[in-house]
Amino acid sequence: MKDKGKENLSGTGPLLSIVIPLYREGAHFGTSFSEIRRCAESTSLSCEYILVDDGSDDNTWEVIEEICGKDSAVTGLRFSRNFGKEAAIYAGLERTSGSAVIVMDGDLQHPPEMIPEMVRIWQGGKAQVVNTVRSGRGSRFLGYKLAARLHGMILNTLSGFDLEGSSDFKLMDRAVVDSYLRLGESRIFYRGLVAWMGFRQVNLPMEFVEGRKAGSSWSLPRLVRLALNSFTSFSTLALHLVTFLGLLLFCFSILLSFNTLLQWMQGSAVPGFTTVILLQLIFSSIIMIALGIIGEYIATIFHEIKNRPRYILMKEFARPDRSPDGE
Ligand code: UDP
Ligand code: MG
């Protein structure tokens, strides 16, 4: 393992690492990075930057290479394909050696002006994790806002942590990063797991900023996958709910059959057709939902036991003495 926090590249004091996952950000990242850099360096700490290209199909990697070529404080990683933001964050965190690490988006939607304040809180010893909490969702369409709110509410209930509005823009102390990297699961949910790990955490409010690129790189299926992953990686409550519902329905159907039998014995036989159809519909849909939820968990088990790497690297651009295998 590398000597943590000893490298001083510029500036003074402990090293601050900044991890930025990037997917199709080539068009603006050159200027966005200068801004991030200016804010990070205004803390007067020495800074290193880990830029992770998550298999972009635009010129993101070329932009990263150009930045790396000019600046030894920057390490660039390139995935062999798109492995997702969570994997990119993990890979970036693995390369950090700072005493504090900040993870942020590359499209300036996480205001870099907040970095000095986050660092101040960490240096004051008040917190080992500085979270930023979104206060709005900007001009996104109503359906998205409603879905995000619903997701937040379910997640809070299932996980027992207040994750609504929490973002991936966080400062973490070295101890927190090391613990995070030791977590064994491969389907990681960064935001939730950082909350789960504990330590002393402080929340800072963050205004919603429109990103530099048009829209978001999250399509609806990807968002749904992330939402399902966030639920199953946190609790098995949904499974228990299915069992409970099943029992409740069983009691209900026993009562109903008594009622039907009684009517039959009294000779007032029910036409029954509607009831049968309704019951069949209700039961088959509940069975399907139940199977779906069980399937989700089985899928998670399936992913975990395969023990695949979280990502595959295609290229790495780092100063020879800073690259893990001394390339
Ligand atoms: N990102 C990534 N891999 C992906 C999708 C996104 O590394 O598959 C990065 C992206 O480059 C950005 C951050 O994750 O730095 C947030 O993505 P985006 O701005 O598209 O999402 P949103 O603003 O909707 O949260
Ligand atoms: Mg964005």
Side-chain angles (χ1 to χ4, degrees):
M1 194 174 264
K2 270 191 272 180
D3 229 357
K4 304 283 180 205
K6 280 201 176 162
E7 273 175 288
N8 274 5
L9 301 168
S10 62
T12 52
L15 181 68
L16 173 68
S17 307
I18 302 208
V19 172
I20 311 179
L22 295 164
Y23 181 59
R24 296 184 180 156
E25 308 273 6
H28 64 83
F29 189 65
T31 46
S32 304
F33 181 67
S34 320
E35 206 144 322
I36 292 172
R37 191 165 187 160
R38 187 179 54 76
C39 294
E41 269 150 36
S42 71
T43 61
S44 75
L45 295 183
S46 39
C47 300
E48 67 162 2
Y49 307 86
I50 324 285
L51 312 179
V52 188
D53 173 14
D54 183 10
S56 308
D57 47 13
D58 64 352
N59 63 336
T60 305
W61 178 247
E62 283 72 39
V63 175
I64 294 178
E65 265 188 326
E66 201 188 317
I67 297 173
C68 290
K70 285 192 241 157
D71 194 335
S72 62
V74 186
T75 299
L77 302 179
R78 186 185 197 184
F79 284 0
S80 59
R81 65 165 171 85
N82 181 241
F83 279 91
K85 183 180 179 183
E86 308 281 319
I89 293 177
Y90 194 92
L93 288 175
E94 277 186 321
R95 298 299 187 290
T96 58
S97 41
S99 312
V101 177
I102 290 182
V103 174
M104 65 194 298
D105 284 5
D107 57 359
L108 295 187
Q109 252 174 320
H110 292 158
E113 299 78 37
M114 290 180 74
I115 294 176
E117 175 66 10
M118 294 165 90
V119 169
R120 236 189 327 275
I121 294 176
W122 168 71
Q123 282 192 311
K126 277 185 243 147
Q128 288 158 297
V129 177
V130 183
N131 296 302
T132 59
V133 183
R134 248 181 267 117
S135 47
R137 293 187 188 275
S139 58
R140 279 181 163 150
F141 66 99
L142 190 68
Y144 179 93
K145 288 187 195 175
L146 285 177
R149 183 141 179 88
L150 184 70
H151 173 245
M153 272 161 44
I154 300 177
L155 192 58
N156 284 359
T157 318
L158 289 183
S159 68
F161 297 105
D162 187 11
L163 295 175
E164 218 189 324
S166 84
S167 83
D168 289 346
F169 184 23
K170 296 180 191 300
L171 178 145
M172 289 177 282
D173 186 81
R174 183 81 246 158
V176 182
V177 175
D178 285 342
S179 309
Y180 184 72
L181 293 175
R182 275 198 295 271
L183 295 175
E185 53 208 279
S186 55
R187 269 194 162 193
I188 31 182
F189 175 48
Y190 162 73
R191 214 181 323 154
L193 288 174
V194 173
W196 174 85
M197 286 196 304
F199 293 96
R200 273 172 295 138
Q201 309 215 1
V202 161
N203 292 343
L204 276 185
M206 167 174 71
E207 279 301 315
F208 183 88
V209 188
E210 289 297 342
R212 279 273 173 105
K213 64 183 165 189
S216 155
S217 32
W218 301 92
S219 60
L220 189 65
R222 290 189 75 167
L223 279 174
V224 172
R225 204 161 0 120
L226 183 76
L228 286 177
N229 186 14
S230 67
F231 298 152
T232 54
S233 72
F234 259 101
S235 112
T236 48
L237 194 73
L239 265 182
H240 303 317
L241 201 70
V242 173
T243 322
F244 177 72
L245 259 180
L247 283 174
L248 205 71
L249 272 163
F250 184 65
C251 297
F252 175 70
S253 53
I254 288 179
L255 283 179
L256 201 73
S257 31
F258 267 126
N259 182 37
T260 322
L261 267 176
L262 206 68
Q263 286 190 343
W264 178 72
M265 285 192 288
Q266 286 170 345
S268 55
V270 202
F273 189 68
T274 331
T275 327
V276 170
I277 291 291
L278 274 178
L279 278 179
Q280 194 167 12
L281 276 177
I282 295 171
F283 278 97
S284 47
S285 55
I286 287 177
I287 289 170
M288 274 175 72
I289 296 170
L291 280 177
I293 296 177
I294 293 169
E296 270 308 309
Y297 284 97
I298 294 179
T300 307
I301 297 169
F302 174 70
H303 282 289
E304 290 299 332
I305 60 162
K306 276 189 298 193
N307 216 0
R308 280 200 189 141
R310 293 178 180 89
Y311 59 87
I312 295 171
L313 269 192
M314 189 152 88
K315 265 185 197 150
E316 177 156 357
F317 198 119
R319 235 171 46 198
D321 56 313
R322 294 170 58 76
S323 131
D325 23 76
E327 268 172 37

